[in-house]
Amino acid sequence: MAETLAVTGTTKKEKYESLLPQIKALVEGENDLIANLSNIMSALKFGMNFFWVGIYFVKNEELVLGPFQGPVACTRIRYGKGVCGKSWELKQTIIVENVEKFPGHIACSSLSRSEIVLPAFDKTENVTLVLDVDSEDLAAFDETDKNYLEQVIKIIQGCVNL
Ligand code: SME
């Protein structure tokens, strides 16, 4: 396993293309969920230079904070609340260009201005966790992020559903 990630490319697409195989390699042959998710969060944060990236696990009727990289964050989010709870409820990826315009957005950091949240599913299509990525820039996330982060979700699902 490589000790440090080397992400090449200048465009977002090139960076994801460089990073994804390294994320796959990071978790290959390791079955510890927390270890794998922690490394994936670090790879995303430092590989893509995100402000905050983390997991919220579905536990009973709440989302509970899991492995993340970035400033401290809210520990629990209720079903349907905030962007994370809404992504869980709708079972779909949500891109928010301006968090101030998203009704019910939960501000863990006043520096976060846009975000993308993606749900991961178990084999019966229940949401098991969401991946939340935040940026200090407005409208930082688009279909390119959705496409590549959904590939990261597949890797995460592989770790969770072992
Ligand atoms: N903004 C999220 C809460 C999580 S933090 O940003 C890390 C939301 O509205 O669900």
Side-chain angles (χ1 to χ4, degrees), residues 7-8 42 49 63 71-72 74 83 120 122 128 143 152:
V7 175
T8 56
S42 176
N49 201 23
L63 292 170
V72 293
C74 334
V83 188
D122 64 14
T128 53
E143 287 299 308
V152 174

Side-chain angles (χ1 to χ4, degrees), residues 16-40:
Y16 277 120
E17 289 284 350
S18 159
L19 184 60
L20 265 168
Q22 298 186 67
I23 290 181
K24 281 186 193 147
L26 264 178
V27 301
E28 219 167 61
E30 176 54 65
N31 66 6
D32 188 275
L33 178 61
I34 299 299
N36 282 339
L37 294 183
S38 301
N39 258 340
I40 294 172

Side-chain angles (χ1 to χ4, degrees), residues 45-119:
K45 159 89 178 143
F46 294 99
M48 299 304 293
N49 201 23
F50 291 138
F51 173 67
W52 193 92
V53 52
I55 297 286
Y56 281 92
F57 291 108
V58 172
K59 290 188 181 172
N60 303 318
E61 290 314 302
E62 283 179 318
L63 292 170
V64 182
L65 185 63
F68 72 96
Q69 291 277 330
V72 293
C74 334
T75 311
R76 291 172 189 270
I77 297 173
R78 295 226 302 278
Y79 181 75
K81 300 292 175 191
V83 188
C84 292
K86 200 43 111 179
S87 170
W88 174 19
E89 181 187 338
L90 299 177
K91 296 187 163 192
Q92 65 190 35
T93 296
I94 300 179
I95 295 173
V96 178
E97 293 195 343
N98 181 350
V99 296
E100 286 177 16
K101 294 195 174 147
F102 187 93
H105 167 258
I106 299 164
C108 293
S109 164
S110 57
L111 295 174
S112 172
R113 301 185 77 196
S114 64
E115 68 180 270
I116 180 169
V117 179
L118 305 95

